[in-house]
Amino acid sequence: MELPSLEAEIRSDNKKVTYWLLFHEDRKKDYMLRRDYAVINCSTVSDSLTSSEMLDISEEEKWIELIEEVERRLSWKMKIFLCLRREYRDMTGRKGWTAAAQWKYAQKVADYLGKEQEDVYVDRFTFNNWWSRIVEYTARLAAKRGLLS
């Protein structure tokens, strides 16, 4: 059996990491609902979740914890950026998410620092670099925890 190329493997891992970074809140809400449902409805051993379902919930919990750890460890500027990246995750096309996020980022940072927006403007290259770094940080931690296989 031929192994996928390193590029294909990295793209696949990054796709999974990107999904968890962008949809963390949605996945966490869904996870909490399913977990609560499982606890409420598992009054007897025969009603309990299958081992496969428990593994799915366990892996989701690990991803949720990982993403929250990454968020805690980011600089305050990158936290703002990640929040905006999530807010504009569905924007595609010529300018995509970066144009909208650039404007709002400058507004938030300028307000926080008491500066003019022009003084805290971040270019597209920097935003793309930040996104790549966040994905890389997350992928490394996920690999260390056995979440990428």
Side-chain angles (χ1 to χ4, degrees), residues 109-133:
V109 173
D111 289 347
Y112 179 76
L113 296 175
K115 295 185 175 188
E116 296 296 318
Q117 287 186 27
E118 303 83 43
D119 297 334
V120 296
Y121 174 81
V122 175
D123 61 45
R124 296 171 72 83
F125 175 78
T126 301
F127 264 16
N128 287 321
N129 187 344
W130 284 359
W131 181 244
S132 294
R133 285 172 48 197

Side-chain angles (χ1 to χ4, degrees), residues 20 53-54 61 102 114 122:
W20 277 100
E53 290 169 324
M54 288 303 291
E61 183 175 30
Q102 279 176 295
V122 175

Side-chain angles (χ1 to χ4, degrees), residues 49-102:
L49 296 175
T50 67
S51 59
S52 173
E53 290 169 324
M54 288 303 291
L55 283 174
D56 288 347
I57 289 175
S58 176
E59 183 172 333
E60 282 188 57
E61 183 175 30
K62 289 176 185 176
W63 272 104
I64 290 164
E65 289 170 357
L66 172 75
I67 299 303
E68 290 173 354
E69 179 183 336
V70 168
E71 289 175 14
R72 283 191 304 274
R73 296 174 70 180
L74 292 175
S75 69
W76 66 272
K77 288 181 178 182
M78 287 182 94
K79 286 178 186 176
I80 292 171
F81 167 76
L82 179 57
C83 178
L84 293 172
R85 180 68 180 89
R86 286 175 175 155
E87 184 177 335
Y88 297 112
R89 69 186 180 202
D90 295 325
M91 292 185 76
T92 58
R94 187 169 170 254
K95 294 190 178 187
W97 60 269
T98 52
Q102 279 176 295

Side-chain angles (χ1 to χ4, degrees), residues 5-16 135-136 139:
S5 72
L6 290 174
E7 278 296 316
E9 192 169 346
I10 289 170
R11 271 193 310 275
S12 176
D13 290 348
N14 287 351
K15 186 176 181 177
K16 187 172 190 176
V135 169
E136 176 66 23

